[in-house]
Amino acid sequence: MRYPNGKIYSKDKLNLDTSIKEKKHYNLKDNASNRGMGLEEDISNSCEYYNNLNVCLIYKRPTPIKVVKMDKINKSKITEAYFSSKSTTDYNGVYKGKYMDFEAKETINKTSFSFHNIRSQQIEHLSKVTKLGGLAFFIIRMKAYNETYLLKYSDIEPFLVSKLRASLPYSYIKENGFLIEESYLPRLKFLQAVDKAFFGM
């Protein structure tokens, strides 16, 4: 049988082409999932999963803003605003009867994690949480290795307070941090890392 363009119909060739297309489509999806989303989106999705199971109650802290102008027609649209106060950390909530507070950071650096993006108010805030018995930590993603770690604030505090170092070596993160396992649901099993870091489980 011939198509109008003169090419010969081949059932085997048709099936082969279809299977290649399906395989390419599958590989693209697979590669996309391996790349992962942004760290904060991964954490927020994981929090939503855990919250729905009533395992904890953790939310992303909203950025404090002062609204200056609203759209005259669409009253739900903000046209002008500014930061009303300095923000503290990204997430807070309750887990196993303990208050939890943490900051999410990621870096493309292969050898270290820079302290450059950790602000003084975050250090002060996490220090107070620790002193009052709360669970204070950082979730740090080393993008070069596709690894995400939980690092207790108390294990970073000496470096942050002394200011003797501008960064934390990757080797220190691997040795003192808790590797967070990735999965489909939840995306980041960070509560398992919390159990190991704070509850000795």
Side-chain angles (χ1 to χ4, degrees):
M1 177 180 174
R2 289 180 181 272
Y3 286 113
N5 62 7
K7 289 187 177 180
I8 299 174
Y9 167 80
S10 170
K11 186 177 180 181
D12 292 337
K13 188 176 187 307
L14 180 65
N15 290 340
L16 178 62
D17 290 344
T18 304
S19 64
I20 289 171
K21 286 178 183 176
E22 288 173 354
K23 189 173 183 181
K24 283 182 180 177
H25 179 67
Y26 175 80
N27 286 340
L28 284 171
K29 283 181 67 180
D30 192 42
N31 289 340
S33 65
N34 288 339
R35 283 198 303 271
M37 298 173 288
L39 177 58
E40 285 193 11
E41 191 172 353
D42 283 350
I43 294 173
S44 295
N45 289 343
S46 301
C47 287
E48 184 179 0
Y49 172 81
Y50 285 131
N51 290 347
N52 288 338
L53 292 179
N54 295 318
V55 174
C56 62
L57 194 61
I58 305 168
Y59 291 103
K60 185 170 181 1
R61 186 179 270 115
T63 303
I65 61 167
K66 175 74 174 178
V67 177
V68 179
K69 288 182 181 178
M70 301 286 289
D71 188 288
K72 290 181 180 180
I73 299 172
N74 184 358
K75 296 297 182 182
S76 63
K77 184 180 179 182
I78 299 171
T79 57
E80 187 178 340
Y82 61 86
F83 295 115
S84 60
S85 63
K86 293 179 179 179
S87 60
T88 52
T89 52
D90 291 322
Y91 295 87
N92 69 322
V94 180
Y95 176 58
K96 290 188 174 179
K98 287 278 190 177
Y99 175 72
M100 174 187 291
D101 207 304
F102 61 98
E103 176 71 10
K105 299 288 185 186
E106 52 188 332
T107 179
I108 59 172
N109 195 305
K110 292 183 178 180
T111 59
S112 64
F113 165 70
S114 174
F115 292 144
H116 177 71
N117 290 326
I118 299 177
R119 297 181 294 279
S120 59
Q121 68 266 22
Q122 293 176 327
I123 296 171
E124 183 181 351
H125 179 76
L126 290 173
S127 178
K128 287 180 180 179
V129 171
T130 301
K131 288 174 182 176
L132 292 170
L135 312 181
F137 56 93
F138 285 89
I139 290 183
I140 300 173
R141 173 168 287 172
M142 303 297 294
K143 294 179 75 173
Y145 305 106
N146 195 29
E147 295 173 349
T148 307
Y149 292 88
L150 181 150
L151 208 58
K152 295 167 69 173
Y153 172 75
S154 58
D155 288 334
I156 306 180
E157 187 175 41
F159 302 102
L160 293 171
V161 174
S162 67
K163 297 183 179 179
L164 294 175
R165 296 191 63 97
S167 62
L168 200 63
Y170 172 58
S171 57
Y172 183 89
I173 295 171
K174 280 182 69 73
E175 184 178 347
N176 296 277
F178 297 83
L179 183 65
I180 298 174
E181 184 182 340
E182 294 187 3
S183 65
Y184 178 66
L185 285 175
R187 175 65 180 157
L188 293 175
K189 295 183 177 181
F190 71 91
L191 287 186
Q192 289 184 356
V194 170
D195 286 338
K196 292 175 183 176
F198 295 98
F199 298 100
M201 297 174 63

